[in-house]
Amino acid sequence: MKKIKIKTPAKINLTLEVLNKRQDGFHNIQSIMQTISLYDILTFELSESNFLSINLSGNSGEIPYNSNNLVYKAANVFFERLKISNCKLSVFIEKHIPVSAGLAGGSTNAAGTLLALNKVFNNPFGDFELNELCSKLGSDLNFCLKGGCALCTSRGEIIEPLPAYIQKVSLIKPKNLGISAKEAYTKFSLLENKVNPDNTHKLKNLLIKGEFNNSLLYNSLEKALLQDYPQLQKIKCNVKNSLMTGSGSAFFVLEDKIKNFSDENNYMIYENLITTKSGIIFED
């Protein structure tokens, strides 16, 4: 039996600018994504078998442990590509990243699965093949595969690495509110006045010089969702300089603590995190 353990980080969107809708139904975006020090932990156990089986379990009641899980889909795609049919894979998913929060929890788990399995099977795939598999599974996986800081374009799968500007981060999320990307982008499409300040490239140019400007933080989807959710309005009104990440429902602030917000009964708060230069971590 082979066993391997990894830590897969959450990401935030320092910028997320939605450009236009594509013919395939996705949207073209430009976004600067950044990994942070909030991790899920995945443990993989592989053994020989007369047939292929993928078994998932974990500590969360909010995710499926079947073929609908991106970890399952990633493992299945990996085995199909290598034509492996005599393996039993068991994966325990220890969730710490909130679900349906815009933090890429599912995507980072799936990218980590591809990277872990590739290592176990002595690296049959190079970077090109791994990125190809990622792009088939979702828009954030290519970024999650590398982590750190990057400019992400097209539907998010084209990655240009950038220098990470290390700083403190805190998160806040309504406990009983998850928002799907489909809902967020649908509501964005209904907005009459869509604004694109091109903060993404302005911030990119600063990062290349080793500089940062908080005033450039921006998310096109935030306005589309705020009007429908009082829980999000409460965050925006009470947490200074907060910004929604991804399609929500989590917000982040580039500080070590969430200040002047005491409603911990209805909100999840994560403090004293940092931005990171790396992504998926292999544990000894």
Side-chain angles (χ1 to χ4, degrees):
M1 178 180 290
K2 297 180 180 179
K3 186 174 182 178
I4 192 168
K5 181 181 287 189
I6 60 171
K7 294 169 66 176
T8 62
K11 64 85 182 161
I12 56 174
N13 298 79
L14 299 174
T15 66
L16 174 52
E17 296 176 293
V18 183
L19 305 179
N20 59 284
K21 192 167 185 178
R22 300 151 48 111
Q23 290 186 344
D24 60 8
F26 291 96
H27 286 77
N28 284 312
I29 65 166
Q30 55 185 28
S31 175
I32 294 179
M33 299 186 191
Q34 170 67 62
T35 47
I36 61 174
S37 60
L38 176 63
Y39 300 91
D40 287 341
I41 302 172
L42 277 66
T43 303
F44 301 83
E45 294 186 357
L46 294 102
S47 57
E48 291 186 1
S49 173
N50 293 328
F51 56 91
L52 178 64
S53 66
I54 302 170
N55 304 297
L56 308 184
S57 59
N59 68 335
S60 172
E62 297 184 79
I63 63 173
Y65 295 105
N66 54 33
S67 59
N68 293 318
N69 192 300
L70 270 176
V71 168
Y72 187 103
K73 293 178 181 179
N76 195 50
V77 164
F78 183 91
F79 291 136
E80 282 185 349
R81 182 64 67 93
L82 286 180
K83 295 181 169 51
I84 294 173
S85 59
N86 60 342
C87 177
K88 177 182 178 182
L89 171 66
S90 298
V91 187
F92 186 86
I93 305 169
E94 183 181 326
K95 291 295 291 182
H96 299 279
I97 302 170
V99 177
S100 299
L103 295 165
S107 296
T108 191
N109 291 170
T113 297
L114 292 173
L115 206 59
L117 291 176
N118 201 51
K119 183 174 182 178
V120 169
F121 285 91
N122 298 315
N123 301 308
F125 299 132
D127 288 346
F128 178 84
E129 290 86 0
L130 286 173
N131 275 290
E132 182 188 10
L133 293 177
C134 282
S135 66
K136 293 180 182 297
L137 291 166
S139 299
D140 289 340
L141 271 78
N142 296 82
F143 168 74
C144 293
L145 192 67
K146 294 296 183 183
C149 183
L151 169 65
C152 304
T153 54
S154 187
R155 59 181 174 86
E157 83 281 12
I158 298 178
I159 309 301
E160 179 185 340
L162 295 172
Y165 191 87
I166 304 303
Q167 52 195 317
K168 296 176 181 178
V169 182
S170 291
L171 302 174
I172 181 169
K173 177 194 177 296
K175 285 186 177 179
N176 298 312
L177 177 62
I179 299 174
S180 69
K182 180 179 180 180
E183 176 187 354
Y185 280 93
T186 299
K187 289 183 175 178
F188 173 80
S189 67
L190 299 176
L191 288 178
E192 293 185 1
N193 298 314
K194 298 180 178 67
V195 179
N196 178 16
D198 198 25
N199 283 13
T200 298
H201 285 95
K202 295 173 187 174
L203 184 55
K204 170 191 170 181
N205 292 334
L206 284 181
L207 288 168
I208 290 172
K209 295 188 291 185
E211 301 174 5
F212 196 88
N213 187 336
N214 280 19
S215 69
L216 294 176
L217 301 177
Y218 185 80
N219 187 335
S220 295
L221 299 177
E222 189 181 78
K223 182 181 177 182
L225 293 168
L226 275 175
Q227 59 189 351
D228 292 335
Y229 293 106
Q231 306 99 310
L232 304 186
Q233 295 169 22
K234 184 172 182 177
I235 296 173
K236 196 67 179 176
C237 291
N238 289 280
V239 182
K240 186 179 179 181
N241 298 323
S242 61
L243 184 76
M244 191 177 79
T245 179
S247 56
S249 57
F251 281 64
F252 72 91
V253 59
L254 297 179
E255 297 176 9
D256 58 344
K257 291 185 180 295
I258 302 290
K259 301 172 183 175
N260 303 319
F261 196 94
S262 59
D263 189 3
E264 294 189 12
N265 290 327
N266 297 307
Y267 291 82
M268 303 164 65
I269 296 176
Y270 301 78
E271 298 181 320
N272 293 305
L273 305 171
I274 59 168
T275 55
T276 65
K277 291 183 178 180
S278 61
I280 296 157
I281 299 171
F282 285 87
E283 297 276 79
D284 293 332

